[in-house]
Amino acid sequence: MSELQEVQITDENALLQDPLKAAELAAKLLQVQEQKHSIETPYGMVTVTIQGSPKPKRPAIVTFHDVGMDHKLCYKTLFDNEDMYEIVKNFVVCHIDAPGQEDGAAVYPAGYQYPSLDQLAETIPCVLQYLNFPSIIGIGVGAGAYVLARYTLSHPNTVEGLVLLNIDPNAKGWMDWAAHKLTGLTSSIPEMILSHLFSTEELSGNSDVVRQYKAAILNSPILSNNHLYWNSYNRI
């Protein structure tokens, strides 16, 4: 658990009148209350980051990130936004990093058998049991959206809501399969991941956000681990 810091709580009415101050306070509270857990599952060790504290009779918000990133790169901007103040104040947030994708992860050896996305969905019950979370609201992007959708199909009674972005629920046809194979012969892993995260127009525009993600992916010390997660995503 990170070292506790003093956070001055101001009058809540004043916070409501100044959304920016409210968002800054929420971010500080999350940082102070942040906890990390390493949880053993049948499909590898999963790193979980908890922000806030559990609220009685309320579901936990559980996130699962997309390929080429960890929970910070995927969700930090969202949860730091001033519009999320009421959410982070009233719900505990649980960020799940897929095995080997977390900051500081060890590089897997050559030939390591990475879990499928369906298997990654079965790591979630281990996390919820460890943390004693009876129900969740899931937020997933891309590969993470698929993982949460699969979990929900298997455990519908534990899910009170889902927010799924950029999900591909359908198997690829043979034309899509052939195009993907051809792209794989001519493009690097970072290029393929970036083309998944952004449109051609966004990549050519090279905005600050695109440059941030490019730098993070190109300079990733665990690019081979990212590659394994990417391969699992492309096998659905």
Side-chain angles (χ1 to χ4, degrees), residues 136-150:
I136 70 168
I137 296 172
I139 301 178
V141 179
Y146 181 91
V147 169
L148 282 168
R150 291 299 303 176

Side-chain angles (χ1 to χ4, degrees), residues 11-187:
D11 180 70
E12 186 164 351
N13 290 330
L15 293 178
L16 294 175
Q17 295 172 8
D18 191 337
L20 183 57
K21 286 185 178 179
E24 290 175 351
L25 176 60
K28 288 179 181 179
L29 287 172
L30 287 180
Q31 185 179 13
V32 168
Q33 298 175 6
E34 184 175 286
Q35 302 177 54
K36 287 188 179 294
H37 301 273
S38 295
I39 301 173
E40 186 70 47
T41 79
Y43 304 106
M45 190 71 72
V46 170
T47 298
V48 174
T49 302
I50 304 297
Q51 293 181 314
S53 57
K55 307 297 188 294
K57 299 182 180 180
R58 291 184 182 176
I61 294 176
V62 173
T63 74
F64 213 106
H65 60 88
D66 204 354
V67 295
M69 56 182 67
D70 59 13
H71 79 274
K72 287 183 181 178
L73 191 58
C74 195
Y75 293 110
K76 180 175 172 55
T77 301
L78 171 64
F79 283 93
D80 283 355
N81 189 282
E82 64 184 63
D83 291 334
M84 291 295 289
Y85 169 66
E86 288 298 322
I87 300 297
V88 300
K89 187 179 73 170
N90 290 292
F91 292 88
V92 63
V93 181
C94 171
H95 299 291
I96 301 177
D97 284 315
Q101 311 303 303
E102 72 276 9
D103 184 31
V107 175
Y108 289 128
Y112 180 81
Q113 185 62 46
Y114 197 78
S116 68
L117 295 197
D118 286 359
Q119 290 171 331
L120 289 180
E122 289 308 310
T123 67
I124 297 178
C126 301
V127 171
L128 301 187
Q129 182 179 16
Y130 180 91
L131 297 169
N132 196 29
F133 290 160
S135 65
I136 70 168
I137 296 172
I139 301 178
V141 179
Y146 181 91
V147 169
L148 282 168
R150 291 299 303 176
Y151 168 78
T152 301
L153 289 172
S154 300
H155 308 273
N157 293 335
T158 67
V159 180
E160 298 195 24
L162 281 177
V163 179
L164 304 179
L165 305 175
N166 194 24
I167 185 172
D168 181 7
N170 300 314
K172 294 178 174 61
W174 73 269
M175 286 292 289
D176 295 320
W177 177 87
H180 171 71
K181 290 297 182 184
L182 182 60
T183 301
L185 295 175
T186 59
S187 302

